[in-house]
């Protein structure tokens, strides 16, 4: 997914008119629904404040919350594993599958399993887990990662989905697709259900994520609309939850704060169709607690707030950059403003340092975040921490030096007025003007006009 640099991926996305249209339409619809349902809650800001406080308390005392969760989960018969990184988590899950003799594996939508590339680990062992979420199933057939946190296939048009289903035999023997777009969308979902249903009833292992892990009960809270997760957690004899340690919350009653925020922010719904809290009681249940760089971020107080994220995807819907380029241009599991923070912080690769610059810093992401993460503030902070090209660094140092004294500033303005034309012709400022318009120095400054008046 991350082939090529950010600029290359962005150019490809901008050149894909169908993708841009689909992403803009989907995010606009989601924003409209969110605005309508949020307006119904007079206590919306109070909910946001409470949620931020609960998340901060849990992150500040994560060692205690983690120990409480582990004790309560094991007391109810759940096997708890702690994975240091993605490879470790994949080994744990595939070993559980091996011991269970599992060959037919169901999997529900989970950003944590996308993060660790669990499907690839299974495929290396000769197994292909079946994605049961419709959007995830579409991108699985297309050989793509998800393009959005909550809507994996929002970049795909109805006609493209029809063609993907046709190519992979999903529609074989199921009649002729209707020509009306709305009818086609409904028809495709029904045919996908017919194609998948018998496979959901005959599986050895089910793998899910979790929206929240509740320390008080040792349970995993899972929110969904399609009902596919209920098949994944109940029909196979073995169920595995893979979730980041940042998903821990202290109390079961905290769900009363988080669920209204999550559902309205993610899909604009007052409530989702299904909410289940799994606290043991299944034939065999495992919970894999994933670190994968999270504890290092907890140790840095400046980064800790970012781990409040509840993966609602609202910041993606509000971001003008994401709405233009979609999710794949970001190059990893998490796109949008939150991805531009999580990717460099969790992966720490050289190329990831570009991501905080994929933002207009308009503040829409911060305004919409249900747990009040200062997203654009953190993006600005990471920009400052990144290493910029030599000419850019020299330019800003010169600017800082000149701006400290009026006499220096006047000399710099006179030099800029004289050399702005040659600098543009020689391409010295091309890295700047490739992406923005260069300011033109006025023929006379205000100070000069004031002096001569």
């Amino acid at each position: 997914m991350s082939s090529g640099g950010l600029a290359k991926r962005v150019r490809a996305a901008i050149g894909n008119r169908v993708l841009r249209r689909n992403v803009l339409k989907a995010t606009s619809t989601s924003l409209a629904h969110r605005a309508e349902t949020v307006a119904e809650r007079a206590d919306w800001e109070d909910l946001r404040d409470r949620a931020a406080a609960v998340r901060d308390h849990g992150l500040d005392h994560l060692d205690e919350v983690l120990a409480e969760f582990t004790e309560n989960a094991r007391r109810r018969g759940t096997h708890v594993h702690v994975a240091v990184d993605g490879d470790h988590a994949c080994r744990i899950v595939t070993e559980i599958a091996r011991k269970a003799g599992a060959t037919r594996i169901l999997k529900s939508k989970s950003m944590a399993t996308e993060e660790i590339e669990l499907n690839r680990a299974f495929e290396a062992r000769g197994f292909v887990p079946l994605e049961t979420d419709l959007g995830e199933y579409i991108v699985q057939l297309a050989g793509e990662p998800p393009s959005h946190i909550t809507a994996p296939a929002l970049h795909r048009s109805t006609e493209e989905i029809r063609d993907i289903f046709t190519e992979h035999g999903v529609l074989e023997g199921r009649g002729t697709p209707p020509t009306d777009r709305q009818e086609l969308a409904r028809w495709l979902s029904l045919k996908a259900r017919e194609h998948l249903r018998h496979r959901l009833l005959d599986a050895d292992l089910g793998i899910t994520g979790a929206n929240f892990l509740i320390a008080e009960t040792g349970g995993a809270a899972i929110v969904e609309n399609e009902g596919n997760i209920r098949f994944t957690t109940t029909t196979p004899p073995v169920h595995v939850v893979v979730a980041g340690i940042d998903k821990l919350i202290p109390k079961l009653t905290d769900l009363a704060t988080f669920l209204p925020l999550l559902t309205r922010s993610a899909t604009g719904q007052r409530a989702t169709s299904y909410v289940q809290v799994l606290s043991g009681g299944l034939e065999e249940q495992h919970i894999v607690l994933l670190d994968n760089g999270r504890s290092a971020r907890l140790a840095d107080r400046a980064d800790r707030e970012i781990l409040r994220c509840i993966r609602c995807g609202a910041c993606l819907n509000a971001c003008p950059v994401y709405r233009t380029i979609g999710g794949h241009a970001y190059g990893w599991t998490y796109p949008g403003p939150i991805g531009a923070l999580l990717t460099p912080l969790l992966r720490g690769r050289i190329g990831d340092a570009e991501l905080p610059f994929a933002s207009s810093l308009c503040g829409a992401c911060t305004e919409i975040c249900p747990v009040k993460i200062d997203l654009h503030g953190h993006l600005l902070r990471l920009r400052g921490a990144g290493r910029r090209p030599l000419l850019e660094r020299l330019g800003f140092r010169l600017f800082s030096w000149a701006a400290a004294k009026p006499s220096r500033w006047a000399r710099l303005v006179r030099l800029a007025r004289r050399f702005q034309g040659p600098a543009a012709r020689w391409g010295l400022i091309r890295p700047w003007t490739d992406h923005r318009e260069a300011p033109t120095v006025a023929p006379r400054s205000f100070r000069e006009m004031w002096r001569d008046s």
Side-chain angles (χ1 to χ4, degrees):
M1 177 175 169
S2 56
S3 60
L6 175 63
K8 181 180 178 181
R9 297 193 301 267
V10 168
R11 282 193 294 269
I14 291 174
N16 188 335
R17 188 173 299 178
V18 174
L19 178 146
R20 288 164 52 201
R21 182 194 66 204
N22 294 338
V23 172
L24 183 60
K25 180 181 178 182
T27 53
S28 297
T29 301
S30 182
L31 286 173
H33 290 163
R34 176 195 173 276
E36 182 180 339
T37 54
V38 166
E40 298 170 354
R41 295 288 305 232
D43 61 343
W44 183 253
E45 290 305 315
D46 290 338
L47 282 174
R48 293 179 73 202
D49 288 334
R50 289 206 301 273
V54 170
R55 295 294 284 135
D56 282 346
H57 177 79
L59 293 169
D60 289 345
H61 301 86
L62 188 63
D63 54 344
E64 300 169 17
V65 177
L66 182 59
E68 182 184 1
F69 174 84
T70 302
E71 179 184 351
N72 288 332
R74 287 175 174 161
R75 185 159 48 84
R76 288 173 166 80
T78 297
H79 304 274
V80 180
H81 314 261
V82 178
V84 175
D85 56 26
D87 289 341
H88 188 198
C90 287
R91 289 198 301 272
I92 292 171
V93 179
T94 53
E95 179 62 15
I96 293 169
R98 187 193 67 78
K99 287 182 177 179
T103 57
R104 299 178 301 278
I105 301 167
L106 300 182
K107 186 168 165 289
S108 72
K109 192 179 80 62
S110 161
M111 297 308 292
T113 58
E114 292 289 343
E115 177 184 328
I116 65 175
E117 298 184 341
L118 181 60
N119 281 9
R120 184 177 295 181
F122 270 116
E123 289 164 8
R125 290 160 176 78
F127 301 112
V128 180
L130 174 65
E131 294 287 355
T132 60
D133 174 87
L134 181 56
E136 286 281 356
Y137 184 58
I138 291 166
V139 296
Q140 182 181 36
L141 293 179
E144 300 173 335
S147 180
H148 192 280
I149 289 176
T150 60
L154 96 169
H155 63 296
R156 289 289 190 174
S157 68
T158 306
E159 292 78 12
E160 287 177 327
I161 294 168
R162 176 201 60 202
D163 294 343
I164 291 169
F165 281 180
T166 301
E167 179 185 350
H168 291 274
V170 176
L171 304 180
E172 188 174 344
R174 301 189 189 278
T176 304
T179 54
D180 178 79
R181 174 172 280 192
Q182 280 193 322
E183 282 297 314
L184 176 61
R186 182 175 179 276
W187 184 84
L188 288 172
S189 66
L190 292 173
K191 298 309 172 185
R193 183 168 68 179
E194 291 174 12
H195 177 75
L196 292 171
R197 180 57 60 92
H198 72 280
R199 300 170 71 183
L200 300 181
L201 297 172
D202 183 24
D204 308 308
L205 179 72
I207 302 169
T208 71
N211 294 96
F212 303 100
L213 299 172
I214 306 163
E216 182 181 39
T217 66
I222 305 175
V223 179
E224 63 164 327
N225 277 313
E226 297 175 15
N228 61 293
I229 297 180
R230 291 197 164 191
F231 280 102
T232 308
T233 60
T234 56
T235 56
V238 181
H239 171 224
V240 180
V241 175
V242 181
I245 56 174
D246 51 316
K247 292 294 185 78
L248 284 159
I249 59 174
K251 303 291 183 183
L252 182 63
T253 53
D254 292 332
L255 289 179
T257 296
F258 287 106
L259 291 180
L261 290 169
L262 176 63
T263 56
R264 284 166 169 80
S265 298
T267 57
Q269 294 172 276
R270 296 174 185 85
T272 51
S273 301
Y274 305 97
V275 177
Q276 53 182 323
V277 180
L278 304 175
S279 301
L282 299 174
E283 189 170 333
E284 183 179 336
Q285 179 170 281
H286 298 259
I287 294 180
V288 180
L289 299 169
L290 177 66
D291 188 326
N292 206 30
R294 288 161 173 80
S295 58
R297 302 281 61 85
L298 282 170
D300 189 327
R301 193 144 197 98
D303 294 339
R304 188 179 302 176
E305 182 189 78
I306 299 167
L307 296 181
R308 282 185 198 163
C309 177
I310 59 174
R311 307 295 193 269
C312 67
C315 64
L316 283 62
N317 299 333
C319 176
V321 175
Y322 176 88
R323 299 179 78 194
T324 302
I325 65 175
H328 293 159
Y330 289 84
W332 197 46
T333 306
Y334 303 106
I338 190 63
L341 295 171
L342 285 175
T343 300
L345 290 176
L346 294 183
R347 291 207 312 181
R349 299 182 184 179
I350 294 174
D352 296 336
E354 298 178 297
L355 284 172
F357 292 85
S359 169
S360 66
L361 297 180
C362 63
C365 52
T366 300
E367 184 177 344
I368 205 169
C369 177
V371 289
K372 291 196 167 184
I373 303 172
D374 181 19
L375 290 162
H376 76 284
H378 288 295
L379 289 168
L380 186 60
R381 177 173 63 85
L382 290 191
R383 285 186 181 195
R387 188 169 181 81
R388 306 309 302 152
L390 177 61
L391 277 177
E392 187 173 321
R393 283 183 281 141
L394 289 175
F396 277 110
R397 285 181 184 174
L398 177 61
F399 175 87
S400 176
W401 174 82
K405 283 190 176 183
S407 58
R408 293 177 187 170
W409 182 254
R411 289 198 296 272
L412 180 64
V413 169
R414 288 196 295 271
L415 284 171
R417 188 181 297 138
R418 179 175 299 178
F419 289 105
Q420 61 181 335
R425 288 195 299 273
W426 299 338
L428 296 178
I429 57 174
R430 188 170 298 152
W432 182 273
T433 57
D434 278 347
H435 305 288
R436 56 184 74 78
E437 195 166 323
T440 302
V441 182
R444 299 184 71 207
S445 70
F446 174 79
R447 287 178 178 272
E448 290 168 338
M449 289 188 288
W450 180 268
R451 182 194 63 204
D452 298 338
S453 62

